[in-house]
């Protein structure tokens, strides 16, 4: 099932399916490691940016942008 | 023949500048947040009788640029100026760092890879097969811990070797069939044309839709037909996603390399960073913790810098003044020389030098913050609020840097990938109260608020931030309407700041302060002194002097703000070349007038101001026109004289209006 990154909760894991945030932002996300190979670990999602880790490295993503990142949850 | 060139290329915060300092013995600014280096810097490495030029560059995630600092790095890499590139990789984040490596290999660059931060990788139980990595890529790979100098000799050896060998690489990346087909199509179009970069690589970038390369192609003489053909290609395929497919092929390459050479623990080791972050960026605690940190910074600055060390400095300078006076008298020096030395130098420039201990403490603490990794957290917790004012969290880092000095604060706006954000971030930075303004606040605080120093200081800084945010909102709705930008930023691990980094950052700032005192402040005070003692017919330092006349002419402008003496008006103008000159000038002028009575600057201020006017004066100083160095930087960064003049004027008007409001409202309420 497809979810958007901004709806995931702390502790959930997800794989990126697609990003539709306009050319620039999409590419930037990709190049910062948020590409279709990556597994995200949600560390924080309450107010402010969403904090996720990719391979243990933390990346903060603004809520608006996170809403354009389609992911599928990974069950443990 | 010139020196061989070695360039440092890598992701932000991977340790390039640290390695640069190790290789060259230079002292470039290092900090634990992405975006410290925004310019190209050069240094020299001597090795076995040869000299090499080493070039440090801003960090980049890829060879496609979004912001000004990245353009600097990318342009340099593309210019093919370097004989060898040291690709600095953060070992704990190797998968992502290898993406840039894949792009460097795609260009066939002569590379040496440095696996930096192996200490951190080890702590997190990440194992890297260095030998295997080198073998698969065919590139020399050296592991290092740059801030400890580990790996330095091997790096130099491999780099020199690579320069001699002049190696280049075949592009190892496998694109999918579709993309390959398009690359060939573009190659066909470009064949035989004069283009600035290798044709194969250019074709890949065209398919990828790299805006920089497309622009360069249009500028070079490839002919209308070819330009049109390329445009047609993009128009025809506007629905396709080659761009990402090209990016993806590089990632597949990077990942396959990582899979073969890197092993990570099944479950990430929980680090200290994780524990600290649970509190420091907590939804409720984030901003209060930020406020407490800043309050502590000011409290410590005040207690140690002013109350403990400040007294010693003042004592020394006073003693020195007495000594010089005696000396000059004993050799029968002319009256004017004594007057200039004591009033101009000791009471003017000396009044500024007295603050060296205080700002030293301030910069030590700001340096500690910068090297700790907290800056990125501050940006994180402020993003939400910044958004309400039309900016993003990243802008907040520029603001904190501005607390030290507005020049690097404004420069750091280069990392913003959106023009609107960048301009507004620059325009509001002057409201961030810098270290040079502290001497002014301190003497007024000593005169009127001796028991609440840190609190007054903190409030002034807070007021600066509030005004900055309001102005950001206004600019957002007027001058720079339009798209708001997205926030994406790495949060580096917390690191215990190294003494070396903290001292280095402190020294750049403090030595700048001392140099300014010896040059700009000295010059301003000298000019002021001369104006204060001419014409000969007038009583020196009196309203009849030339300076007195100028001050009296300006006085009506500041009367509504409650600044009642001509000295106060003149000092504000003296502060435009450099802010410290406000105190320098007041020190010289009041000393001239009160010299016989042997009073200190603080006493003179107590006599000429009230609590209320001291507040309006401090707020004026906080907000009004930034110093010449800042205006120069704004001019350089905006490439526009009009914007620079605009900033000089609007800040002045704002400072004036705020000072007048405080004074008038305060008077009405009976605080006058
Ligand atoms: N643990 C560790 N920290 C390092 C190492 N190299 C650099 N650092 C720290 O990493 C941070 C970023 O370094 P800097 O040289 O400014 O990175 P740049 O952005 O690539 O120029 C600083 O706090 C350095 O002290 C290393 O090998 N190990
Ligand atoms: Mg750097």
């Amino acid at each position: 099932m497809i979810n958007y990154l901004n709806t995931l909760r702390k502790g959930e894991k997800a794989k990126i399916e697609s990003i539709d945030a306009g050319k620039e932002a999409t590419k930037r996300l990709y190049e910062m490691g948020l590409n279709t190979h990556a597994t995200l670990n949600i560390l924080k999602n309450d107010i402010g940016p969403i904090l996720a880790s990719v391979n243990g490295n933390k990346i903060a993503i603004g809520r608006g942008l996170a809403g354009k990142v389609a992911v599928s949850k990974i069950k443990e | 023949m010139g020196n061989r060139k070695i360039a440092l290329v890598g992701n932000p915060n991977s340790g390039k500048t640290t390695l640069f300092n190790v290789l060259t013995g230079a002292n470039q600014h290092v900090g634990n947040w992405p975006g410290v280096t925004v310019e190209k810097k050069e240094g020299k490495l001597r090795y076995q009788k040869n000299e090499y030029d080493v070039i440090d560059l801003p960090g980049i995630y890829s060879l496609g640029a979004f912001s000004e600092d990245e353009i600097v790095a990318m342009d340099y890499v593309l210019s093919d100026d370097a004989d060898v590139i040291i690709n600095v990789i953060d070992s704990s984040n190797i998968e992502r760092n290898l993406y840039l490596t894949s792009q460097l290999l795609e260009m066939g660059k002569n590379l040496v890879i440095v696996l930096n931060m192996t200490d951190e990788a080890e702590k997190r139980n990440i194992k890297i097969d260095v030998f295997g990595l080198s073998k698969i890529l065919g590139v020399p790979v050296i592991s290092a811990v740059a801030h400890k100098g580990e790996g330095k000799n091997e790096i130099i050896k491999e780099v020199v070797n690579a320069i001699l060998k002049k190696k280049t690489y075949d592009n190892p990346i496998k694109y999918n069939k579709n993309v390959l087909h398009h690359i060939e199509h573009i190659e066909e179009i470009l064949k035989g044309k004069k283009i600035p970069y290798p044709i194969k690589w250019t074709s890949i970038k065209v398919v990828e839709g790299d805006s920089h390369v497309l622009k360069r192609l249009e500028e070079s003489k490839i002919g209308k037909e070819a330009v049109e053909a390329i445009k047609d290609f993009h128009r025809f395929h506007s629905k396709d996603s080659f761009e990402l497919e090209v990016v993806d092929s590089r990632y597949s390459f990077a990942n396959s390399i990582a899979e073969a050479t890197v092993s990570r623990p099944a479950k990430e080791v929980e680090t200290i960073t994780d524990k600290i972050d649970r509190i420091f960026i907590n939804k409720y605690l984030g901003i209060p913790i930020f406020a407490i940190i800043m309050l502590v910074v000011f409290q410590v600055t005040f207690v140690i810098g002013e109350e403990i060390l400040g007294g010693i400095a003042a004592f020394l300078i006073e003693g020195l003044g007495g000594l010089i006076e005696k000396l000059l008298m004993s050799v029968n020096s002319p009256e004017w020389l004594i007057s200039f030395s004591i009033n101009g130098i000791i009471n003017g420039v000396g009044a500024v030098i007295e603050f060296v201990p205080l700002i030293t403490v301030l910069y030590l603490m700001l340096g500690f913050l910068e090297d700790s990794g907290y800056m990125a957290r501050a940006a994180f917790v402020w993003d939400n609020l910044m958004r309400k004012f039309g900016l993003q969290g990243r802008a907040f880092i520029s603001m904190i840097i501005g607390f030290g000095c507005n020049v690097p604060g404004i420069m750091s706006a280069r990392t913003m990938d959106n023009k609107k954000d960048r301009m507004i971030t620059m325009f509001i930075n002057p409201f961030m109260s810098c270290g040079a303004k502290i001497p002014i606040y301190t003497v007024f605080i000593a005169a009127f608020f001796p028991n609440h120093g840190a609190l007054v200081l903190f409030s002034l800084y807070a007021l600066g931030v509030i005004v900055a945010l309001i102005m950001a909102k206004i600019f957002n709705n007027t001058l720079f309407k339009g798209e708001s930008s997205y926030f994406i930023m790495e949060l580096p691990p917390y690191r215990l700041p190294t003494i070396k980094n903290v001292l280095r950052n402190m020294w750049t700032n403090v030595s700048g302060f001392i140099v300014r005192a010896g040059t700009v402040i000295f010059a301003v005070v000298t000019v002021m002194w001369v104006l204060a003692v001419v014409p000969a017919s007038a009583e020196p330092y009196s309203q009849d002097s030339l300076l007195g006349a100028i001050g009296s002419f300006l006085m009506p402008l500041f009367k509504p703000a409650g600044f009642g003496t001509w000295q106060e008006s003149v000092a504000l103008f003296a502060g435009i070349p450099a802010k410290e000159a406000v105190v320098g000038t007041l020190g010289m002028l009041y000393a001239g007038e009160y010299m016989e009575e042997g009073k200190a600057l603080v006493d003179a201020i107590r006599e000429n101001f009230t609590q209320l006017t001291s507040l309006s004066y401090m707020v004026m100083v906080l907000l009004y026109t930034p110093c010449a160095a800042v205006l120069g930087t704004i001019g350089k960064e905006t490439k526009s004289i009009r914007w620079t003049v605009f900033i000089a004027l609007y800040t002045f008007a704002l400072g004036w209006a705020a000072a007048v409001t405080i004074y008038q409202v305060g008077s009405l309420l009976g605080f006058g």
Side-chain angles (χ1 to χ4, degrees), chain B residues 172-216:
Chain B
I173 294 159
K174 305 271 171 289
Y175 310 95
N176 71 32
K177 240 179 145 172
N178 209 355
V179 169
L180 265 179
H181 170 78
H182 293 306
I183 294 174
E184 273 162 25
H185 171 69
I186 301 293
E187 253 185 280
E188 214 44 55
I189 297 174
L190 294 175
K191 201 174 265 166
K193 305 275 186 319
K194 231 178 121 48
I195 55 174
Y197 310 119
I199 181 164
K200 264 229 140 51
W201 183 80
T202 309
S203 310
I204 297 167
K205 295 305 270 186
V206 168
V207 173
E208 195 187 341
D210 186 292
S211 51
H212 180 85
V213 169
L214 288 174
K215 211 171 100 209
R216 285 298 301 272

Short mmCIF file of all heavy atoms in Angstrom, two decimals, chain B residues 172-216:
data_model
loop_
_atom_site.label_atom_id
_atom_site.label_comp_id
_atom_site.label_asym_id
_atom_site.label_seq_id
_atom_site.Cartn_x
_atom_site.Cartn_y
_atom_site.Cartn_z
N PRO B 172 32.49 3.68 -15.65
CA PRO B 172 32.09 2.33 -15.23
C PRO B 172 30.58 2.17 -15.10
O PRO B 172 30.10 1.09 -14.76
CB PRO B 172 32.73 2.23 -13.84
CG PRO B 172 32.73 3.63 -13.32
CD PRO B 172 32.82 4.54 -14.51
N ILE B 173 29.82 3.23 -15.36
CA ILE B 173 28.39 3.16 -15.06
C ILE B 173 27.60 2.55 -16.20
O ILE B 173 27.81 2.85 -17.37
CB ILE B 173 27.87 4.56 -14.70
CG1 ILE B 173 28.54 4.97 -13.39
CG2 ILE B 173 26.36 4.58 -14.56
CD1 ILE B 173 28.53 6.43 -13.17
N LYS B 174 26.68 1.65 -15.81
CA LYS B 174 25.86 0.99 -16.84
C LYS B 174 24.48 1.65 -16.88
O LYS B 174 23.72 1.56 -15.92
CB LYS B 174 25.68 -0.49 -16.48
CG LYS B 174 27.00 -1.23 -16.29
CD LYS B 174 27.52 -1.80 -17.60
CE LYS B 174 28.93 -2.35 -17.46
NZ LYS B 174 29.99 -1.31 -17.29
N TYR B 175 24.20 2.31 -17.99
CA TYR B 175 22.89 2.94 -18.14
C TYR B 175 21.94 1.94 -18.77
O TYR B 175 22.38 1.01 -19.45
CB TYR B 175 23.00 4.20 -19.00
CG TYR B 175 24.11 5.10 -18.55
CD1 TYR B 175 25.37 5.03 -19.14
CD2 TYR B 175 23.91 6.00 -17.51
CE1 TYR B 175 26.41 5.83 -18.70
CE2 TYR B 175 24.94 6.80 -17.07
CZ TYR B 175 26.19 6.71 -17.67
OH TYR B 175 27.21 7.50 -17.22
N ASN B 176 20.65 2.13 -18.58
CA ASN B 176 19.74 1.18 -19.22
C ASN B 176 19.64 1.46 -20.72
O ASN B 176 20.07 2.50 -21.20
CB ASN B 176 18.39 1.14 -18.51
CG ASN B 176 17.56 2.39 -18.74
OD1 ASN B 176 17.66 3.01 -19.80
ND2 ASN B 176 16.77 2.77 -17.75
N LYS B 177 19.08 0.53 -21.41
CA LYS B 177 19.12 0.55 -22.87
C LYS B 177 18.51 1.82 -23.46
O LYS B 177 19.07 2.45 -24.35
CB LYS B 177 18.32 -0.66 -23.39
CG LYS B 177 19.19 -1.60 -24.22
CD LYS B 177 18.35 -2.69 -24.62
CE LYS B 177 18.37 -3.42 -25.84
NZ LYS B 177 17.43 -4.57 -25.67
N ASN B 178 17.37 2.14 -22.87
CA ASN B 178 16.65 3.32 -23.30
C ASN B 178 17.51 4.58 -23.19
O ASN B 178 17.66 5.35 -24.15
CB ASN B 178 15.44 3.45 -22.36
CG ASN B 178 14.30 4.12 -23.04
OD1 ASN B 178 14.46 4.58 -24.19
ND2 ASN B 178 13.17 4.20 -22.36
N VAL B 179 18.10 4.74 -22.03
CA VAL B 179 18.94 5.91 -21.78
C VAL B 179 20.15 5.92 -22.71
O VAL B 179 20.48 6.94 -23.32
CB VAL B 179 19.39 5.93 -20.29
CG1 VAL B 179 20.47 6.98 -20.08
CG2 VAL B 179 18.21 6.18 -19.37
N LEU B 180 20.77 4.73 -22.87
CA LEU B 180 21.92 4.64 -23.75
C LEU B 180 21.58 5.09 -25.16
O LEU B 180 22.33 5.82 -25.81
CB LEU B 180 22.40 3.18 -23.81
CG LEU B 180 23.52 2.79 -22.85
CD1 LEU B 180 23.84 1.32 -23.03
CD2 LEU B 180 24.74 3.65 -23.10
N HIS B 181 20.42 4.68 -25.60
CA HIS B 181 19.95 5.05 -26.93
C HIS B 181 19.88 6.57 -27.07
O HIS B 181 20.32 7.15 -28.06
CB HIS B 181 18.58 4.40 -27.16
CG HIS B 181 17.89 4.88 -28.38
ND1 HIS B 181 18.24 4.43 -29.62
CD2 HIS B 181 16.90 5.79 -28.56
CE1 HIS B 181 17.48 5.04 -30.52
NE2 HIS B 181 16.67 5.86 -29.90
N HIS B 182 19.33 7.21 -26.02
CA HIS B 182 19.21 8.67 -26.07
C HIS B 182 20.56 9.36 -26.01
O HIS B 182 20.78 10.37 -26.67
CB HIS B 182 18.31 9.16 -24.93
CG HIS B 182 16.89 8.72 -25.09
ND1 HIS B 182 16.16 8.97 -26.22
CD2 HIS B 182 16.07 8.04 -24.26
CE1 HIS B 182 14.95 8.47 -26.09
NE2 HIS B 182 14.87 7.89 -24.90
N ILE B 183 21.46 8.78 -25.21
CA ILE B 183 22.80 9.36 -25.13
C ILE B 183 23.45 9.36 -26.52
O ILE B 183 24.03 10.36 -26.95
CB ILE B 183 23.68 8.58 -24.12
CG1 ILE B 183 23.12 8.76 -22.70
CG2 ILE B 183 25.13 9.05 -24.17
CD1 ILE B 183 23.81 7.91 -21.65
N GLU B 184 23.28 8.26 -27.21
CA GLU B 184 23.85 8.17 -28.56
C GLU B 184 23.23 9.20 -29.49
O GLU B 184 23.92 9.83 -30.29
CB GLU B 184 23.64 6.76 -29.13
CG GLU B 184 24.76 5.82 -28.71
CD GLU B 184 24.36 4.36 -28.88
OE1 GLU B 184 23.47 4.06 -29.71
OE2 GLU B 184 24.92 3.53 -28.15
N HIS B 185 21.94 9.37 -29.33
CA HIS B 185 21.23 10.35 -30.16
C HIS B 185 21.81 11.75 -29.96
O HIS B 185 22.07 12.48 -30.92
CB HIS B 185 19.73 10.32 -29.79
CG HIS B 185 18.94 11.42 -30.40
ND1 HIS B 185 18.68 11.49 -31.75
CD2 HIS B 185 18.33 12.50 -29.85
CE1 HIS B 185 17.96 12.57 -32.01
NE2 HIS B 185 17.74 13.20 -30.86
N ILE B 186 22.04 12.12 -28.71
CA ILE B 186 22.60 13.44 -28.42
C ILE B 186 24.04 13.54 -28.93
O ILE B 186 24.45 14.57 -29.48
CB ILE B 186 22.55 13.74 -26.90
CG1 ILE B 186 21.13 13.68 -26.36
CG2 ILE B 186 23.17 15.11 -26.60
CD1 ILE B 186 20.21 14.75 -26.86
N GLU B 187 24.77 12.46 -28.78
CA GLU B 187 26.15 12.45 -29.27
C GLU B 187 26.18 12.76 -30.76
O GLU B 187 27.04 13.50 -31.25
CB GLU B 187 26.76 11.06 -29.04
CG GLU B 187 27.77 11.04 -27.91
CD GLU B 187 28.43 9.67 -27.81
OE1 GLU B 187 27.78 8.79 -27.22
OE2 GLU B 187 29.54 9.50 -28.33
N GLU B 188 25.21 12.17 -31.45
CA GLU B 188 25.08 12.40 -32.89
C GLU B 188 24.92 13.90 -33.17
O GLU B 188 25.56 14.44 -34.07
CB GLU B 188 23.83 11.62 -33.34
CG GLU B 188 23.86 11.01 -34.70
CD GLU B 188 25.17 10.30 -35.04
OE1 GLU B 188 25.62 9.38 -34.29
OE2 GLU B 188 25.73 10.69 -36.06
N ILE B 189 24.07 14.54 -32.38
CA ILE B 189 23.81 15.97 -32.58
C ILE B 189 25.07 16.79 -32.32
O ILE B 189 25.36 17.77 -33.01
CB ILE B 189 22.69 16.46 -31.62
CG1 ILE B 189 21.38 15.74 -31.95
CG2 ILE B 189 22.51 17.98 -31.71
CD1 ILE B 189 20.25 16.05 -30.99
N LEU B 190 25.84 16.39 -31.29
CA LEU B 190 26.97 17.21 -30.86
C LEU B 190 28.25 16.91 -31.63
O LEU B 190 29.23 17.66 -31.54
CB LEU B 190 27.23 17.00 -29.36
CG LEU B 190 26.13 17.50 -28.41
CD1 LEU B 190 26.47 17.12 -26.98
CD2 LEU B 190 25.94 19.01 -28.54
N LYS B 191 28.25 15.85 -32.38
CA LYS B 191 29.47 15.42 -33.07
C LYS B 191 30.06 16.54 -33.94
O LYS B 191 29.35 17.20 -34.67
CB LYS B 191 29.17 14.18 -33.93
CG LYS B 191 30.44 13.40 -34.25
CD LYS B 191 30.12 12.11 -34.98
CE LYS B 191 30.01 10.94 -34.02
NZ LYS B 191 29.39 9.77 -34.67
N GLY B 192 31.37 16.74 -33.78
CA GLY B 192 32.04 17.73 -34.61
C GLY B 192 31.85 19.17 -34.16
O GLY B 192 32.47 20.08 -34.67
N LYS B 193 30.99 19.38 -33.16
CA LYS B 193 30.77 20.75 -32.67
C LYS B 193 31.82 21.08 -31.62
O LYS B 193 32.38 20.20 -30.97
CB LYS B 193 29.38 20.86 -32.04
CG LYS B 193 28.24 20.43 -32.96
CD LYS B 193 27.82 21.56 -33.84
CE LYS B 193 26.60 21.29 -34.69
NZ LYS B 193 26.48 19.96 -35.31
N LYS B 194 32.06 22.36 -31.47
CA LYS B 194 33.00 22.80 -30.43
C LYS B 194 32.24 22.92 -29.11
O LYS B 194 31.45 23.84 -28.93
CB LYS B 194 33.60 24.15 -30.82
CG LYS B 194 35.12 24.15 -30.74
CD LYS B 194 35.67 25.49 -31.18
CE LYS B 194 36.50 26.14 -30.10
NZ LYS B 194 37.49 25.40 -29.42
N ILE B 195 32.47 21.98 -28.21
CA ILE B 195 31.77 22.03 -26.92
C ILE B 195 32.78 22.05 -25.78
O ILE B 195 33.90 21.59 -25.92
CB ILE B 195 30.80 20.83 -26.75
CG1 ILE B 195 31.54 19.51 -26.95
CG2 ILE B 195 29.63 20.94 -27.70
CD1 ILE B 195 30.67 18.31 -26.66
N PRO B 196 32.35 22.63 -24.65
CA PRO B 196 33.31 22.88 -23.57
C PRO B 196 33.75 21.62 -22.80
O PRO B 196 34.78 21.65 -22.14
CB PRO B 196 32.56 23.83 -22.63
CG PRO B 196 31.12 23.69 -22.97
CD PRO B 196 31.04 23.24 -24.37
N TYR B 197 32.99 20.56 -22.86
CA TYR B 197 33.35 19.36 -22.09
C TYR B 197 33.41 18.16 -23.03
O TYR B 197 32.92 18.20 -24.15
CB TYR B 197 32.30 19.10 -21.01
CG TYR B 197 31.96 20.29 -20.17
CD1 TYR B 197 30.66 20.80 -20.14
CD2 TYR B 197 32.94 20.92 -19.40
CE1 TYR B 197 30.35 21.91 -19.36
CE2 TYR B 197 32.63 22.03 -18.61
CZ TYR B 197 31.33 22.52 -18.61
OH TYR B 197 31.03 23.61 -17.85
N PRO B 198 33.99 17.04 -22.55
CA PRO B 198 34.05 15.84 -23.38
C PRO B 198 32.67 15.44 -23.90
O PRO B 198 31.68 15.54 -23.16
CB PRO B 198 34.58 14.77 -22.42
CG PRO B 198 35.27 15.51 -21.33
CD PRO B 198 34.63 16.85 -21.25
N ILE B 199 32.62 14.97 -25.12
CA ILE B 199 31.33 14.78 -25.79
C ILE B 199 30.48 13.69 -25.13
O ILE B 199 29.28 13.86 -24.92
CB ILE B 199 31.53 14.49 -27.30
CG1 ILE B 199 30.17 14.32 -27.99
CG2 ILE B 199 32.40 13.27 -27.53
CD1 ILE B 199 30.22 14.42 -29.47
N LYS B 200 31.11 12.58 -24.75
CA LYS B 200 30.35 11.49 -24.14
C LYS B 200 29.66 11.96 -22.87
O LYS B 200 28.46 11.76 -22.66
CB LYS B 200 31.29 10.31 -23.79
CG LYS B 200 31.38 9.22 -24.80
CD LYS B 200 31.20 7.87 -24.11
CE LYS B 200 30.36 6.88 -24.87
NZ LYS B 200 30.66 6.63 -26.24
N TRP B 201 30.46 12.61 -22.06
CA TRP B 201 29.94 13.07 -20.76
C TRP B 201 28.85 14.13 -20.98
O TRP B 201 27.82 14.11 -20.33
CB TRP B 201 31.09 13.63 -19.92
CG TRP B 201 30.66 14.07 -18.57
CD1 TRP B 201 30.46 13.26 -17.49
CD2 TRP B 201 30.36 15.39 -18.15
NE1 TRP B 201 30.05 14.01 -16.42
CE2 TRP B 201 29.98 15.33 -16.79
CE3 TRP B 201 30.37 16.65 -18.78
CZ2 TRP B 201 29.62 16.44 -16.05
CZ3 TRP B 201 30.02 17.76 -18.04
CH2 TRP B 201 29.64 17.66 -16.70
N THR B 202 29.12 15.04 -21.91
CA THR B 202 28.14 16.09 -22.18
C THR B 202 26.80 15.48 -22.59
O THR B 202 25.74 15.92 -22.15
CB THR B 202 28.65 17.02 -23.31
OG1 THR B 202 29.97 17.43 -22.98
CG2 THR B 202 27.77 18.24 -23.45
N SER B 203 26.88 14.45 -23.42
CA SER B 203 25.64 13.82 -23.89
C SER B 203 24.85 13.23 -22.73
O SER B 203 23.63 13.32 -22.67
CB SER B 203 25.95 12.72 -24.91
OG SER B 203 26.82 13.23 -25.89
N ILE B 204 25.58 12.61 -21.80
CA ILE B 204 24.90 12.04 -20.63
C ILE B 204 24.18 13.15 -19.87
O ILE B 204 23.02 13.02 -19.48
CB ILE B 204 25.92 11.34 -19.70
CG1 ILE B 204 26.57 10.16 -20.42
CG2 ILE B 204 25.23 10.87 -18.41
CD1 ILE B 204 27.79 9.61 -19.71
N LYS B 205 24.90 14.26 -19.68
CA LYS B 205 24.32 15.36 -18.91
C LYS B 205 23.13 15.99 -19.64
O LYS B 205 22.20 16.47 -19.01
CB LYS B 205 25.38 16.44 -18.61
CG LYS B 205 26.50 15.97 -17.71
CD LYS B 205 26.00 15.39 -16.41
CE LYS B 205 25.85 16.41 -15.30
NZ LYS B 205 25.49 15.76 -14.02
N VAL B 206 23.19 16.00 -20.96
CA VAL B 206 22.06 16.55 -21.71
C VAL B 206 20.82 15.67 -21.51
O VAL B 206 19.73 16.15 -21.24
CB VAL B 206 22.39 16.68 -23.21
CG1 VAL B 206 21.14 16.97 -24.02
CG2 VAL B 206 23.43 17.77 -23.41
N VAL B 207 21.03 14.37 -21.60
CA VAL B 207 19.91 13.45 -21.38
C VAL B 207 19.36 13.62 -19.96
O VAL B 207 18.16 13.62 -19.71
CB VAL B 207 20.35 11.98 -21.61
CG1 VAL B 207 19.24 11.03 -21.20
CG2 VAL B 207 20.71 11.79 -23.07
N GLU B 208 20.27 13.82 -19.04
CA GLU B 208 19.88 14.00 -17.64
C GLU B 208 19.15 15.33 -17.44
O GLU B 208 18.50 15.56 -16.42
CB GLU B 208 21.14 13.94 -16.77
CG GLU B 208 20.87 13.75 -15.30
CD GLU B 208 22.14 13.87 -14.48
OE1 GLU B 208 23.24 13.75 -15.06
OE2 GLU B 208 22.03 14.09 -13.28
N GLY B 209 19.30 16.22 -18.42
CA GLY B 209 18.63 17.51 -18.31
C GLY B 209 19.32 18.46 -17.35
O GLY B 209 18.70 19.31 -16.73
N ASP B 210 20.65 18.32 -17.23
CA ASP B 210 21.41 19.18 -16.33
C ASP B 210 21.38 20.63 -16.82
O ASP B 210 21.88 20.96 -17.89
CB ASP B 210 22.85 18.69 -16.27
CG ASP B 210 23.68 19.43 -15.25
OD1 ASP B 210 23.95 20.63 -15.45
OD2 ASP B 210 24.06 18.80 -14.25
N SER B 211 20.78 21.49 -16.00
CA SER B 211 20.53 22.85 -16.49
C SER B 211 21.83 23.61 -16.72
O SER B 211 21.93 24.43 -17.64
CB SER B 211 19.64 23.62 -15.51
OG SER B 211 20.15 23.51 -14.21
N HIS B 212 22.84 23.32 -15.91
CA HIS B 212 24.11 24.01 -16.07
C HIS B 212 24.76 23.68 -17.42
O HIS B 212 25.18 24.56 -18.17
CB HIS B 212 25.05 23.62 -14.92
CG HIS B 212 26.38 24.28 -14.99
ND1 HIS B 212 26.60 25.53 -14.47
CD2 HIS B 212 27.56 23.87 -15.52
CE1 HIS B 212 27.87 25.85 -14.67
NE2 HIS B 212 28.46 24.87 -15.30
N VAL B 213 24.82 22.40 -17.73
CA VAL B 213 25.44 21.98 -18.98
C VAL B 213 24.64 22.49 -20.18
O VAL B 213 25.20 22.97 -21.16
CB VAL B 213 25.59 20.44 -19.03
CG1 VAL B 213 25.98 19.98 -20.42
CG2 VAL B 213 26.60 19.98 -18.00
N LEU B 214 23.32 22.44 -20.05
CA LEU B 214 22.48 22.94 -21.16
C LEU B 214 22.76 24.41 -21.41
O LEU B 214 22.86 24.85 -22.55
CB LEU B 214 21.01 22.72 -20.82
CG LEU B 214 20.54 21.26 -20.89
CD1 LEU B 214 19.11 21.13 -20.40
CD2 LEU B 214 20.67 20.72 -22.31
N LYS B 215 22.93 25.15 -20.34
CA LYS B 215 23.20 26.58 -20.49
C LYS B 215 24.55 26.80 -21.17
O LYS B 215 24.68 27.61 -22.09
CB LYS B 215 23.17 27.26 -19.12
CG LYS B 215 22.69 28.70 -19.20
CD LYS B 215 22.46 29.31 -17.83
CE LYS B 215 23.62 30.17 -17.42
NZ LYS B 215 23.86 30.25 -16.00
N ARG B 216 25.55 26.04 -20.71
CA ARG B 216 26.88 26.19 -21.30
C ARG B 216 26.86 25.85 -22.79
O ARG B 216 27.55 26.48 -23.60
CB ARG B 216 27.90 25.29 -20.59
CG ARG B 216 28.32 25.79 -19.21
CD ARG B 216 29.00 27.14 -19.26
NE ARG B 216 30.20 27.18 -20.09
CZ ARG B 216 31.41 26.88 -19.65
NH1 ARG B 216 31.59 26.53 -18.40
NH2 ARG B 216 32.45 26.93 -20.45
#
